[in-house]
Amino acid sequence: MFSFKTESIFGQTKQLEREIDQFVDILSEVGLVFKTIIPSYLSNGASNKFDEMVKQVSEMESKADKITKEVERTLYEETLIPDSRSDVLRLLEHMDELIGMYQGNCYHFSIQKPDFPEEFHEDLKNLTETVVNCVESLCLTVRSFFRDIKSVRDNAHKVTYYEKESDKQFSSLARKIFDTDLSLDKKMHLRYFVEKIDRICDHAEDIADEVQIYAIKRAI
Amino acid sequence: MDLTILVFLLGGLFLGWSLGANDAANVFGTAVGTRMIRFQTAAIVCGIFVILGAVISGAGTTATLGKLGSINAMPGAFAACVAAGLAVYLMTKSGLPVSTTQAIVGAIVGWNIYTGSSTNIQILVTIILTWVLCPVIAGLIAMFFFILTKKLLQTTSLHLLRLDAYTRTALLLAGAFGAYSLGANNIANVMGVFVPISPFTEINFMNILTLSSTGQLFLLGGIAIAVGVITYSKRVMLTVGNDLLKLSPVAAFIVVISHSIVLFLFASQGISNFLHSINLPSIPLVPVSSSQAIVGAVIGIGLLKGGKEVKWDIASKIAVGWVVLPIIAALISFVILFVLQNIFNLTVYF
């Protein structure tokens, strides 16, 4: 009886480890797709390729949702990691919000079709790259929370670094936008998109801060 | 067998039940309190291993307790057990993990005083010394394991979930070992006073297995402890698990294994003989307090963490229980002996 139970605990553990890894993979992949979507939009507008990538992000978001629900169900039904359970679930929820933010940005580009003058293209691409790097560092932070707690602080530090970079890039781009002769409504429309991309970094930094606290709580 | 003898044995069984209700918390309390192991699983494993420990390794500590005061009449043994059981029950009711060892020692001394028998001071001093040594050793072992485990976890980089699965398994194994040690070490508290006046005769099972009269007493006592675990230990388990110090599951494992090692050390004739054979001082086989061992281990870890997290008020409440319990047990023992002798006209000593 006990050997069976023990086996099932280890089996479920491996399955859960895989699911959590998959979830982090999805967040990382969504970032990589997002990094391609923005240049694609800036070059070709809302083309078929752009729509396909938006659809791809949407599918990844649904997959991440499913994993979150499955992990939540298993953690509660099998009473696994009782003392870290709420932290892990909150972490997954907040990371899911990040995926949602990527998706939201894609939809807004697809629906509102902002018209970025060419002089801002390079800055917007750079901002996007910094944001994706920031989330990528968050993925490393989360992975180290589960596997290598010593590295949490180092990886979280990178998130903070990219967040600061992104803030600088956002301010600079916003300033450039408002320094042009575009109409105010257009300026505000462009600023809205730049700000929305930058917010991904802010959220990533909040999550990295949370992970650092969870890591302290994990100490025996 | 005379039916009254069975009735008198009920005193020991009641004490066993009290011990199970109270001391199982020391073995599985931290695991159940941190919700790493379900109470039902803990109760079943604890029950089985307590019985095994009592029957296989219970003789050493029983001999020591017998030397403290050799109760020579069944009603006297009954009085001592009921007194100890009542004292433990009263303390358990208040949610405090108390020591059955101190209760039975108090009750035996109560019998000695009532009957005018001499108390073997040397044995009493040895027992009291172990009361002091037991939490100290448990604390030191816990500190050692804590440092070792921390280093190990830093180098192995286990996944959080994998660590959780290993910790559960480790808690279950440590709990089983703890229950075995508890049975081996503390069966003397439950049945020790009946051994010199055991009403049973040896049973032979088809020339394969022989169960001595003492073995039968230990089996009965072990079953009584198991019943106590299953019926009444949940509340104390949650007290031990949560109140003294908020323990992580890994720390809970360290506490249980440290406690189990201490109980095993003071019950193992094998280790004692081995130390003696290599000219080292042998460990006295004394029924030690399981509660003291657990508190010692928890405080040991708390001190390594800087001492701020230990709730000293609860630790001190438990310490007060240690002093009050033997006195209460001795007084109850005295009163019951008086009642049995003067109202029921029973012979409580020869």
Side-chain angles (χ1 to χ4, degrees):
Chain A
M1 181 175 74
F2 293 116
S3 65
F4 171 74
K5 185 69 187 165
T6 307
E7 271 171 31
S8 78
I9 282 178
F10 281 100
Q12 263 158 356
T13 298
K14 277 182 190 166
Q15 173 68 18
L16 263 182
E17 277 177 37
R18 270 196 298 272
E19 282 172 347
I20 290 171
D21 279 344
Q22 267 177 19
F23 185 88
V24 183
D25 289 346
I26 289 174
L27 176 58
S28 175
E29 281 167 27
V30 169
L32 295 175
V33 175
F34 188 71
K35 202 158 81 172
T36 326
I37 280 181
I38 300 299
S40 167
Y41 175 83
L42 292 174
S43 309
N44 310 312
S47 61
N48 284 345
K49 193 184 166 196
F50 173 82
D51 287 341
E52 267 174 35
M53 284 194 281
V54 173
K55 200 179 158 198
Q56 198 184 342
V57 169
S58 179
E59 282 167 2
M60 286 170 157
E61 203 270 340
S62 305
K63 203 175 164 190
D65 274 349
K66 268 187 199 162
I67 294 176
T68 313
K69 285 197 179 76
E70 185 57 29
V71 171
E72 187 172 350
R73 188 193 62 77
T74 316
L75 283 182
Y76 274 101
E77 277 184 6
E78 301 302 322
T79 59
L80 299 174
I81 47 169
D83 57 336
S84 314
R85 186 166 49 205
S86 58
D87 293 346
V88 168
L89 289 175
R90 203 173 302 131
L91 182 58
L92 292 188
E93 272 168 28
H94 289 172
M95 285 164 70
D96 197 36
E97 283 167 13
L98 270 183
I99 300 176
M101 287 172 95
Y102 273 135
Q103 190 191 22
N105 267 291
C106 293
Y107 277 138
H108 283 287
F109 270 91
S110 173
I111 295 164
Q112 299 181 29
K113 298 184 179 60
D115 181 16
F116 274 92
E118 202 165 341
E119 56 186 299
F120 303 137
H121 284 194
E122 208 48 42
D123 286 343
L124 190 61
K125 283 179 199 169
N126 287 340
L127 175 67
T128 306
E129 191 159 336
T130 306
V131 165
V132 173
N133 284 340
C134 184
V135 175
E136 195 57 41
S137 298
L138 176 71
C139 290
L140 289 175
T141 311
V142 172
R143 287 190 208 277
S144 53
F145 167 71
F146 284 106
R147 283 210 164 80
D148 180 19
I149 208 134
K150 291 196 301 292
S151 311
V152 167
R153 202 172 165 276
D154 291 342
N155 291 320
H157 179 71
K158 283 179 195 155
V159 177
T160 309
Y161 169 79
Y162 283 121
E163 195 276 333
K164 279 182 185 144
E165 278 302 299
S166 144
D167 277 350
K168 280 182 208 162
Q169 288 171 349
F170 160 70
S171 303
S172 160
L173 184 53
R175 205 177 294 276
K176 278 184 190 170
I177 290 170
F178 280 93
D179 282 346
T180 59
D181 296 329
L182 294 168
S183 59
L184 184 62
D185 60 330
K186 202 163 181 187
K187 284 177 184 173
M188 290 183 78
H189 192 218
L190 297 183
R191 192 264 298 150
Y192 167 78
F193 277 88
V194 176
E195 193 176 4
K196 210 164 162 49
I197 293 175
D198 177 55
R199 272 194 204 147
I200 296 176
C201 261
D202 296 338
H203 196 51
E205 196 198 21
D206 290 344
I207 299 172
D209 290 344
E210 271 175 42
V211 177
Q212 287 193 83
I213 303 290
Y214 300 158
I216 293 167
K217 281 165 74 180
R218 256 197 73 182
I220 64 164
Chain B
M1 192 196 309
D2 190 351
L3 195 65
T4 51
I5 291 176
L6 277 178
V7 173
F8 289 136
L9 269 180
L10 282 177
L13 299 181
F14 172 57
L15 183 57
W17 174 83
S18 288
L19 190 139
N22 181 60
D23 286 11
N26 300 330
V27 179
F28 276 110
T30 39
V32 173
T34 53
R35 303 193 190 285
M36 290 296 278
I37 295 178
R38 289 191 183 102
F39 172 73
Q40 203 181 357
T41 312
I44 292 169
V45 171
C46 192
I48 292 170
F49 279 89
V50 147
I51 294 171
L52 287 176
V55 176
I56 298 169
S57 307
T61 52
T62 305
T64 308
L65 209 56
K67 289 175 199 160
L68 177 67
S70 190
I71 300 178
N72 52 18
M74 205 41 129
F78 169 79
C81 283
V82 171
L86 269 176
V88 168
Y89 176 74
L90 289 173
M91 302 300 268
T92 307
K93 260 290 195 193
S94 58
L96 292 177
V98 291
S99 162
T100 315
T101 304
Q102 280 142 0
I104 195 70
V105 166
I108 292 172
V109 171
W111 182 86
N112 284 348
I113 295 168
Y114 185 83
T115 59
S117 310
S118 63
T119 301
N120 188 329
I121 298 296
Q122 201 189 342
I123 294 291
L124 187 63
V125 169
T126 308
I127 290 173
I128 290 171
L129 260 179
T130 63
W131 291 359
V132 180
L133 271 180
C134 171
V136 174
I137 296 174
L140 291 173
I141 294 174
M143 284 167 131
F144 168 75
F145 273 110
F146 187 83
I147 294 165
L148 191 76
T149 312
K150 210 171 173 179
K151 283 249 178 333
L152 197 72
L153 289 180
Q154 276 171 354
T155 49
T156 50
S157 299
L158 278 174
H159 192 284
L160 173 66
L161 286 155
R162 193 73 60 96
L163 176 65
D164 177 73
Y166 287 145
T167 310
R168 267 164 212 272
T169 312
L171 275 170
L172 198 62
L173 294 175
F177 173 46
Y180 183 91
S181 303
L182 180 70
N185 189 289
N186 276 199
I187 192 67
N189 299 337
V190 178
M191 285 291 156
V193 289
F194 292 102
V195 169
I197 43 174
S198 174
F200 299 116
T201 50
E202 196 172 277
I203 300 174
N204 194 317
F205 296 98
M206 294 178 288
N207 288 330
I208 301 168
L209 183 73
T210 307
L211 199 56
S212 66
S213 67
T214 308
Q216 290 168 61
L217 275 175
F218 288 174
L219 179 63
L220 266 180
I223 292 169
I225 297 172
V227 172
V229 173
I230 291 161
T231 55
Y232 210 77
S233 65
K234 196 169 184 178
R235 187 166 159 227
V236 190
M237 279 195 187
L238 295 173
T239 304
V240 169
N242 294 321
D243 283 4
L244 192 61
L245 171 72
K246 183 97 179 81
L247 289 171
S248 70
V250 176
F253 160 72
I254 294 167
V255 166
V256 176
I257 197 76
S258 309
H259 148 277
S260 309
I261 289 172
V262 171
L263 258 69
F264 190 73
L265 276 178
F266 283 108
S268 170
Q269 278 177 318
I271 294 177
S272 188
N273 293 342
F274 170 73
L275 289 175
H276 189 69
S277 71
I278 55 170
N279 294 323
L280 282 173
S282 58
I283 296 168
L285 301 181
V286 173
V288 291
S289 163
S290 165
S291 312
Q292 288 177 358
I294 221 79
V295 171
V298 171
I299 288 177
I301 290 178
L303 288 176
L304 273 184
K305 285 181 164 181
K308 285 179 196 164
E309 288 179 56
V310 179
K311 292 178 183 168
W312 292 104
D313 54 330
I314 292 175
S316 60
K317 259 191 214 169
I318 292 168
V320 168
W322 294 343
V323 179
V324 173
L325 184 66
I327 296 170
I328 289 178
L331 285 174
I332 297 174
S333 172
F334 200 90
V335 171
I336 294 175
L337 288 166
F338 180 82
V339 170
L340 289 179
Q341 191 177 37
N342 297 297
I343 297 176
F344 292 95
N345 281 327
L346 291 167
T347 308
V348 293
Y349 65 96
F350 292 106

Coordinates of all heavy atoms in Angstrom, one line a residue, chain A residues 13-38:
Chain A
T13 N 5.1 14.0 -8.8 CA 6.1 15.0 -8.7 C 6.8 15.3 -10.0 O 7.0 16.4 -10.4 CB 7.2 14.6 -7.7 OG1 6.5 14.4 -6.4 CG2 8.3 15.6 -7.5
K14 N 7.2 14.2 -10.7 CA 7.9 14.3 -12.0 C 7.0 15.0 -13.0 O 7.4 15.9 -13.7 CB 8.3 13.0 -12.5 CG 9.6 12.5 -11.9 CD 10.0 11.2 -12.5 CE 11.1 10.6 -11.8 NZ 11.3 9.2 -12.1
Q15 N 5.7 14.6 -13.0 CA 4.7 15.2 -13.9 C 4.6 16.7 -13.6 O 4.6 17.6 -14.6 CB 3.4 14.5 -13.7 CG 2.2 15.1 -14.5 CD 2.3 14.9 -16.0 OE1 3.1 14.1 -16.5 NE2 1.6 15.7 -16.8
L16 N 4.5 17.1 -12.4 CA 4.3 18.5 -12.0 C 5.6 19.3 -12.4 O 5.5 20.4 -12.8 CB 4.1 18.6 -10.5 CG 2.7 18.7 -10.0 CD1 2.7 18.9 -8.5 CD2 2.0 19.9 -10.6
E17 N 6.7 18.7 -12.1 CA 8.0 19.4 -12.5 C 8.0 19.7 -14.0 O 8.3 20.8 -14.4 CB 9.2 18.4 -12.2 CG 9.7 18.5 -10.8 CD 10.8 17.5 -10.6 OE1 11.7 17.3 -11.4 OE2 10.8 16.8 -9.5
R18 N 7.5 18.7 -14.8 CA 7.5 18.9 -16.2 C 6.5 20.0 -16.6 O 6.8 20.9 -17.4 CB 7.0 17.6 -16.9 CG 8.2 16.7 -17.3 CD 7.7 15.6 -18.3 NE 6.7 14.8 -17.8 CZ 6.9 13.6 -17.1 NH1 8.2 13.3 -16.9 NH2 5.9 12.9 -16.7
E19 N 5.4 20.0 -15.9 CA 4.3 21.0 -16.2 C 4.8 22.4 -15.9 O 4.6 23.4 -16.6 CB 3.0 20.7 -15.5 CG 2.3 19.6 -16.1 CD 1.1 19.1 -15.3 OE1 1.0 19.5 -14.1 OE2 0.3 18.4 -15.9
I20 N 5.5 22.6 -14.7 CA 6.0 23.9 -14.3 C 7.1 24.3 -15.3 O 7.1 25.5 -15.7 CB 6.5 23.9 -12.9 CG1 5.3 23.7 -11.9 CG2 7.2 25.1 -12.5 CD1 5.6 23.5 -10.5
D21 N 7.9 23.4 -15.7 CA 9.0 23.7 -16.7 C 8.3 24.2 -18.0 O 8.8 25.2 -18.6 CB 9.9 22.5 -17.0 CG 10.9 22.3 -15.9 OD1 11.2 23.3 -15.1 OD2 11.5 21.2 -15.8
Q22 N 7.3 23.4 -18.4 CA 6.6 23.8 -19.7 C 6.0 25.2 -19.6 O 6.1 26.0 -20.5 CB 5.4 22.8 -19.9 CG 5.8 21.6 -20.7 CD 4.6 20.7 -20.8 OE1 3.4 21.1 -20.6 NE2 4.8 19.4 -21.2
F23 N 5.5 25.5 -18.4 CA 4.8 26.8 -18.2 C 5.9 27.9 -18.4 O 5.6 28.9 -19.1 CB 4.2 26.9 -16.8 CG 3.5 28.1 -16.6 CD1 2.1 28.2 -16.9 CD2 4.1 29.3 -16.0 CE1 1.4 29.4 -16.7 CE2 3.4 30.4 -15.8 CZ 2.0 30.5 -16.2
V24 N 7.0 27.7 -17.8 CA 8.1 28.7 -17.9 C 8.6 28.8 -19.4 O 8.9 29.9 -19.9 CB 9.3 28.4 -16.9 CG1 10.3 29.5 -17.0 CG2 8.8 28.3 -15.5
D25 N 8.7 27.6 -20.0 CA 9.1 27.6 -21.4 C 8.1 28.4 -22.2 O 8.5 29.2 -23.1 CB 9.0 26.1 -22.0 CG 10.1 25.3 -21.4 OD1 11.1 25.9 -20.8 OD2 10.1 24.0 -21.5
I26 N 6.8 28.3 -22.0 CA 5.8 29.0 -22.7 C 6.0 30.6 -22.6 O 6.1 31.3 -23.6 CB 4.4 28.7 -22.3 CG1 4.1 27.2 -22.8 CG2 3.3 29.6 -22.9 CD1 2.7 26.7 -22.3
L27 N 6.2 31.0 -21.3 CA 6.5 32.4 -21.1 C 7.7 32.9 -21.9 O 7.7 33.9 -22.5 CB 6.7 32.7 -19.6 CG 7.0 34.1 -19.2 CD1 6.0 35.1 -19.6 CD2 7.2 34.2 -17.7
S28 N 8.7 32.1 -21.9 CA 10.0 32.4 -22.6 C 9.7 32.5 -24.1 O 10.1 33.4 -24.8 CB 11.0 31.4 -22.2 OG 12.2 31.6 -23.0
E29 N 9.0 31.5 -24.6 CA 8.7 31.4 -26.1 C 7.8 32.5 -26.5 O 8.0 33.1 -27.6 CB 8.0 30.1 -26.4 CG 9.0 28.9 -26.5 CD 8.3 27.6 -26.5 OE1 7.2 27.5 -27.0 OE2 9.0 26.6 -26.1
V30 N 6.8 32.9 -25.7 CA 5.9 34.0 -26.0 C 6.7 35.3 -26.2 O 6.5 36.0 -27.1 CB 4.8 34.2 -24.9 CG1 4.0 35.5 -25.2 CG2 3.8 33.0 -25.0
G31 N 7.7 35.4 -25.3 CA 8.6 36.6 -25.4 C 9.3 36.6 -26.7 O 9.4 37.6 -27.4
L32 N 9.9 35.4 -27.1 CA 10.6 35.3 -28.4 C 9.7 35.7 -29.6 O 10.1 36.4 -30.5 CB 11.2 33.9 -28.5 CG 12.3 33.6 -27.5 CD1 12.8 32.2 -27.6 CD2 13.5 34.6 -27.6
V33 N 8.5 35.2 -29.5 CA 7.5 35.5 -30.6 C 7.2 37.0 -30.6 O 7.2 37.6 -31.7 CB 6.2 34.7 -30.5 CG1 5.2 35.1 -31.5 CG2 6.5 33.2 -30.6
F34 N 7.0 37.5 -29.4 CA 6.7 39.0 -29.3 C 7.9 39.8 -29.9 O 7.6 40.8 -30.5 CB 6.5 39.3 -27.8 CG 6.0 40.7 -27.6 CD1 4.7 41.1 -27.9 CD2 6.9 41.7 -27.0 CE1 4.3 42.4 -27.7 CE2 6.4 43.0 -26.8 CZ 5.1 43.3 -27.1
K35 N 9.1 39.3 -29.7 CA 10.3 40.0 -30.2 C 10.3 40.1 -31.7 O 10.9 40.9 -32.3 CB 11.6 39.4 -29.7 CG 12.8 40.3 -29.7 CD 13.8 39.8 -28.7 CE 14.7 38.7 -29.3 NZ 15.8 38.4 -28.4
T36 N 9.6 39.1 -32.3 CA 9.6 39.0 -33.8 C 8.3 39.8 -34.3 O 8.3 40.4 -35.4 CB 9.4 37.6 -34.3 OG1 10.2 36.7 -33.4 CG2 9.9 37.4 -35.7
I37 N 7.3 39.8 -33.5 CA 6.0 40.4 -33.9 C 6.2 41.9 -34.1 O 5.7 42.4 -35.1 CB 4.9 40.1 -32.8 CG1 4.3 38.7 -33.0 CG2 3.8 41.1 -33.0 CD1 3.2 38.4 -32.1
I38 N 6.8 42.6 -33.2 CA 6.9 44.0 -33.3 C 7.6 44.5 -34.5 O 7.1 45.3 -35.3 CB 7.5 44.6 -32.0 CG1 6.6 44.3 -30.8 CG2 7.7 46.2 -32.1 CD1 5.2 44.8 -30.8

